[in-house]
């Protein structure tokens, strides 16, 4: 099975990645307010309608603004510009040299493994 969230550098699906394989149970989390929880912050950011899709389309190669527009039917140029700026602010996307497009950063590439796990969970987790 091919998952769109496969790590493009290693070719390893997120669930098979040795860095996340563990037999021990994680520590119980300490009480945290939602606004100070980094997981909540990232889930809210990635939950924006277009962020994950922009990252997914940049996984293989840099793309120009117009090429991304073609990949994302329904997005406006203004919203795409805002999403790219937000992804750049988070260090996930950078301007590509030469082509004047956008590409994933190393940090953005590592996030693909996390998104791969989320996609597999969403696909195979039983509905509530």
């Amino acid at each position: 099975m091919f998952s769109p969230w496969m790590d493009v550098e290693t070719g390893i699906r997120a669930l098979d990645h040795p860095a996340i394989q563990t037999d021990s149970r994680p520590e119980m989390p300490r009480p945290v307010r939602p606004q100070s929880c980094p997981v909540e912050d990232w889930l809210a950011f990635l939950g924006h309608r277009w962020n994950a899709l922009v990252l997914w389309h940049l996984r293989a190669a840099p793309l120009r603004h117009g090429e991304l527009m073609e990949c994302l039917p329904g997005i406006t140029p203004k919203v795409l510009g805002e999403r790219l700026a937000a992804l750049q602010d988070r260090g996930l996307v950078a301007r590509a040299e030469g082509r004047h497009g956008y590409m994933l950063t190393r940090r953005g590439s590592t996030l693909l493994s996390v998104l791969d796990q989320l996609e597999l969970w969403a696909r195979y987790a039983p509905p509530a």
Side-chain angles (χ1 to χ4, degrees):
M1 175 187 87
F2 172 77
S3 172
W5 299 111
M6 183 175 288
D7 185 327
V8 294
E9 290 182 14
T10 65
I12 298 173
R13 289 182 329 152
L15 292 178
D16 299 329
H17 199 283
I20 64 165
Q21 301 298 318
T22 180
D23 293 330
S24 63
R25 296 183 60 87
E27 291 181 27
M28 291 300 294
R30 60 179 168 61
V32 177
R33 294 182 188 277
Q35 61 270 27
S36 63
C37 176
V39 174
E40 285 287 331
D41 179 53
W42 276 102
L43 287 175
F45 177 75
L46 293 170
H48 186 282
R49 182 173 179 188
W50 300 105
N51 286 343
L53 291 172
V54 170
L55 293 172
W56 189 80
H57 284 293
L58 292 174
R59 78 195 183 285
L63 294 173
R64 293 178 183 217
H65 192 276
E67 293 169 324
L68 280 167
M69 290 287 301
E70 291 175 12
C71 296
L72 301 166
I75 196 169
T76 65
K78 178 184 178 206
V79 170
L80 178 57
E82 290 170 353
R83 294 299 87 216
L84 288 167
L87 290 163
Q88 284 179 290
D89 289 345
R90 293 276 182 137
L92 303 173
V93 170
R95 297 284 286 173
E97 294 182 26
R99 287 188 60 201
H100 304 291
Y102 297 88
M103 59 185 247
L104 287 179
T105 62
R106 180 173 298 274
R107 184 176 192 195
S109 294
T110 62
L111 183 58
L112 293 179
S113 296
V114 175
L115 294 175
D116 187 22
Q117 293 174 54
L118 187 58
E119 186 258 339
L120 289 172
W121 177 82
R123 186 180 302 249
Y124 296 110

